[in-house]
Amino acid sequence: MTTVTTVDHVVIRFAGDSGDGMQLTGDRFTHDTAAAGNDFSTLPNFPAEIRAPQGTVAGVSSFQLHFADFDIRTPGDRPDVLVAMNPAALKANLGDLPRGGLIIADTADFTPRNLAKVGYASDPLTDGSLADYQVHALDLSGQATAAVASLGLGRKDAARTKNMYALGLLDWLYHRPVEGTIAFLEKKFAAVPQVRDANIAALKAGYAFGETTEVFANRYKVAPAPAPAGTYRQVSGNRALAYGLMAGAAKAGLQLFLGAYPITPASDVLHHLAAAKDAGVLTFQAEDEIAAVGAALGASFAGQLGVTATSGPGLALKMETIGLAVMLELPLVICDIQRAGPATGMPTKTEQADLTQALFGRHGEAPLPVIAAQSPGDCFAAAYEAVKIAIDYRTPVILLSDGYLANGAEPWPVPDLAALPPIDPAFATGPNRPDGGFWPYLRDDKLARAWAVPGTPGLEHRIGGIEKADGTGAVSYDPANHEFMVNLRKQKVDNIQAVVPPVEVDDPSGRARVLVLGWGSTYGPISAAARRVRTAGRRVATAHLRHLNPLPANLGEVLRAYDRVIVPEMNLGQLAMVLRSTYLVDVQSYSRVRGLPISLSELAADLVALIDEEDAE
């Protein structure tokens, strides 16, 4: 008899070959989990190759999902359950599974050849080496093939339904509803009824196997998580970012133009916006990164909202044109979805190593605002804010996300668009000089210049990359004018600090001596680690930065209020370096560059040791 056990959270990792459908399986289990009302966070992890070497550790694709009956912040450090579709998946992921963890393995691929390919001298499912784990060795492929036998598929195609069979089994094991996945399959494969019916049959068969077998002694329930009333959707960071850009353009009454060249992990921004052409979005897949940003800047000159999306290598190529946007003082949003580098690096892995490139990567003095999203859902708000700043201050803005946020997902409360802050492009409509003339570089109280749409009678003006004369915009090589314009452009960006909210410190005790300060996607690990540290009886304060240039006005005061400031980053300490030089505070870097989010467990343990050391002094 199967016992039903209630647990407060679970971390599941699906792993197999790149062609085994693990990303789809994980995504569908996430949808089923969202329907059950749990809070969740996901971490897709896959090779960079389009078709990675089959049956090898390098070719393993995985999808990790953390779901709970409370507010969670990360996809979890280690899985409680590992679904391994072949020996390579087991080999690649077993080290992350704690002793006592549950393994569900598809025995069909545990052949001598596949075992030898990954260095197993014997079958770990039968040789006793997994005695410390709960192992369920099941012929998932064979059972899936049998379940669809009546539909006339060849054996190879029938075996491809094994991921849906595994999904059905896991849905049963954790009380997930399957109706949503059935509706998804009906829609996705509507044009291929045989494939549609086979996948649905395999899904139902996996669920039925769990219901009728006596293999599993326990079945688990995770109660819904409490959440404020509202409409929620499962959203990835790239999708939320695309929605934020669309909302900003709509609020400003502008057409959104995206100029982009496909690059991992930013390509989905292009995909999502290309699918929104019925909403007035115009996308252009350029021949290269330079053409993409040039087209976006041209769109801004024409009175549209110019946007480009890329990753670190593409950002480097775009820098001259971004400098031109600084010189022209036109709105432009540059979305940098960071990945591990340098060069090609690890294209599908996450990193935060583009910060100094975003802040200082241009030639000449070319300051611009830099902001960073902190979670997949927050990519919407960060993108909207980037649009507003770009338009209000007539400046390019770099928006930093990363591969973890881009591909990860979480529940997202759909915002009330009417409640979003207004955005007014305030186009120039006529002369701005007492003599009836028009000067393009006359400024408002924000130091933002006039935005004149080409073709507007009487507003003809010069543009280009050569230094402008103050006010008139005429070409100027005058030394004093150049210095004046350089300082004026800097002052305009510095003025944005007036709309940057002050840093808010989370210090429940009010007596913490250690502050942990983060930016971007370190928000999840930092806040989850702080929760664990406080549960262990230690005092720790946390704060997080959205605005990286200009920095919040009260940041220096906050930093000096603590005995020790720790900055966790997925780089070699770039923000820590900036803070030390800006505020002359002994900020300490906590650096991890593994292509993975910072481990909350590791961070929590290190913070406990550091706090104990600080308290002992």
Side-chain angles (χ1 to χ4, degrees):
M1 180 178 178
T2 301
T3 301
V4 176
T5 303
T6 298
V7 294
D8 62 357
H9 74 108
V10 178
V11 180
I12 298 176
R13 185 181 296 175
F14 297 91
D17 264 334
S18 293
D20 285 340
M22 294 297 94
Q23 301 305 318
L24 175 62
T25 305
D27 183 67
R28 290 316 313 168
F29 192 83
T30 302
H31 276 274
D32 298 341
T33 293
N38 300 120
D39 194 19
F40 60 85
S41 179
T42 70
L43 178 64
N45 194 353
F46 44 87
E49 293 81 6
I50 292 174
R51 185 63 171 129
Q54 190 171 10
T56 66
V57 170
V60 170
S61 174
S62 69
F63 188 106
Q64 184 162 302
L65 166 70
H66 182 193
F67 61 102
D69 65 4
F70 59 92
D71 175 30
I72 58 173
R73 306 291 173 82
T74 76
D77 288 344
R78 310 179 75 186
D80 304 301
V81 181
L82 173 62
V83 179
M85 305 303 283
N86 61 13
L90 181 65
K91 183 91 169 183
N93 294 282
L94 184 62
D96 292 336
L97 191 71
R99 301 293 177 181
L102 176 64
I103 299 172
I104 299 175
D106 183 1
T107 59
D109 274 347
F110 278 73
T111 63
R113 181 174 180 272
N114 287 339
L115 291 166
K117 189 181 291 187
V118 296
Y120 280 126
S122 59
D123 187 347
L125 300 180
T126 59
D127 66 7
S129 61
L130 301 179
D132 291 337
Y133 304 94
Q134 305 174 60
V135 180
H136 294 285
L138 307 170
D139 185 6
L140 301 177
S141 296
Q143 290 166 200
T145 300
V148 303
S150 63
L151 297 175
L153 292 173
R155 181 170 180 82
K156 184 176 181 180
D157 288 336
R160 286 176 176 163
T161 65
K162 63 185 178 182
N163 63 327
M164 288 297 107
Y165 189 93
L167 175 60
L169 176 58
L170 269 292
D171 278 339
W172 169 82
L173 191 61
Y174 288 96
H175 288 82
R176 309 287 93 181
V178 298
E179 290 77 14
T181 293
I182 291 173
F184 166 82
L185 293 170
E186 288 175 340
K187 181 178 180 180
K188 181 176 178 63
F189 297 113
V192 195
Q194 192 178 37
V195 174
R196 174 199 63 202
D197 295 343
N199 279 281
I200 292 173
L203 177 74
K204 291 180 176 179
Y207 196 97
F209 175 77
E211 194 74 63
T212 57
T213 187
E214 297 183 358
V215 169
F216 294 92
N218 287 294
R219 194 180 179 198
Y220 303 93
K221 270 191 175 181
V222 181
T231 301
Y232 288 80
R233 294 288 183 268
Q234 173 187 337
V235 72
S236 68
N238 273 348
R239 183 181 290 275
L241 189 149
Y243 288 166
L245 296 171
M246 292 171 62
K251 201 75 169 181
L254 302 177
Q255 181 172 53
L256 173 59
F257 176 94
L258 175 78
Y261 180 78
I263 183 172
T264 302
S267 297
D268 275 345
V269 177
L270 172 60
H271 299 159
H272 294 313
L273 289 177
K277 59 185 178 182
D278 59 340
V281 176
L282 182 61
T283 56
F284 168 55
Q285 181 174 319
E287 64 270 30
D288 56 40
E289 296 281 4
I290 299 172
V293 69
L297 182 56
S300 291
F301 174 64
Q304 301 178 5
L305 174 61
V307 178
T308 190
T310 189
S311 190
L315 183 63
L317 291 169
K318 295 177 188 290
M319 280 303 185
E320 183 178 3
T321 304
I322 295 172
L324 176 61
V326 172
M327 174 71 78
L328 300 182
E329 299 188 52
L330 285 171
L332 179 68
V333 179
I334 305 103
C335 305
D336 176 19
I337 318 302
Q338 300 165 96
R339 71 188 204 189
T344 304
M346 299 192 295
T348 60
K349 311 303 180 185
T350 195
E351 203 162 270
Q352 289 182 301
D354 293 350
L355 176 59
T356 50
Q357 182 181 198
L359 291 172
F360 312 119
R362 293 156 300 284
H363 64 281
E365 293 291 345
L368 51 72
V370 178
I371 67 177
Q374 67 183 28
S375 72
D378 184 56
C379 288
F380 175 91
Y384 188 90
E385 189 166 5
V387 171
K388 181 170 174 56
I389 289 174
I391 292 174
D392 285 351
Y393 289 87
R394 309 289 195 255
T395 179
V397 177
I398 292 181
L399 169 61
L400 296 175
S401 177
D402 60 45
Y404 162 46
L405 298 186
N407 296 318
E410 65 180 357
W412 177 56
V414 178
D416 177 5
L417 297 183
L420 294 173
I423 303 176
D424 182 6
F427 288 119
T429 57
N432 59 2
R433 291 278 298 162
D435 60 5
F438 175 74
W439 283 9
Y441 284 84
L442 289 183
R443 301 171 185 278
D444 62 16
D445 56 358
K446 299 185 183 74
L447 299 184
R449 79 167 183 91
W451 190 3
V453 177
T456 306
L459 303 188
E460 295 82 1
H461 59 285
R462 181 191 301 272
I463 66 165
I466 299 177
E467 182 62 277
K468 306 291 180 288
D470 179 37
T472 67
V475 170
S476 174
Y477 291 97
D478 179 66
N481 177 78
H482 176 58
E483 185 167 45
F484 177 81
M485 293 297 284
V486 164
N487 281 297
L488 194 61
R489 289 188 288 263
K490 178 182 184 300
Q491 187 60 53
K492 182 178 70 170
V493 174
D494 290 345
N495 286 354
I496 296 170
Q497 192 177 72
V499 298
V500 172
V503 177
E504 294 185 4
V505 177
D506 178 23
D507 182 5
S509 72
R511 294 178 290 122
R513 300 175 63 188
V514 174
L515 171 69
V516 184
L517 179 70
W519 69 276
S521 66
T522 58
Y523 170 78
I526 288 173
S527 56
R531 180 188 294 170
R532 188 171 296 186
V533 168
R534 290 164 185 158
T535 301
R538 274 67 166 189
R539 297 187 296 269
V540 66
T542 63
H544 212 74
L545 297 179
R546 157 69 60 79
H547 295 266
L548 300 167
N549 189 47
L551 292 161
N554 69 328
L555 181 56
E557 177 186 349
V558 168
L559 297 178
R560 295 184 186 98
Y562 291 89
D563 295 338
R564 203 174 280 193
V565 179
I566 310 299
V567 179
E569 299 180 79
M570 292 185 292
N571 57 47
L572 294 182
Q574 294 183 14
L575 178 62
M577 176 188 68
V578 170
L579 297 179
R580 281 195 295 267
S581 64
T582 303
Y583 299 104
L584 302 182
V585 172
D586 186 21
V587 173
Q588 299 177 28
S589 176
Y590 184 94
S591 175
R592 297 292 184 273
V593 279
R594 301 169 177 170
L596 294 169
I598 288 175
S599 163
L600 79 92
S601 301
E602 184 178 320
L603 177 58
D606 290 342
L607 287 175
V608 166
L610 186 149
I611 292 166
D612 288 347
E613 174 188 319
E614 190 70 32
D615 289 344
E617 292 179 357

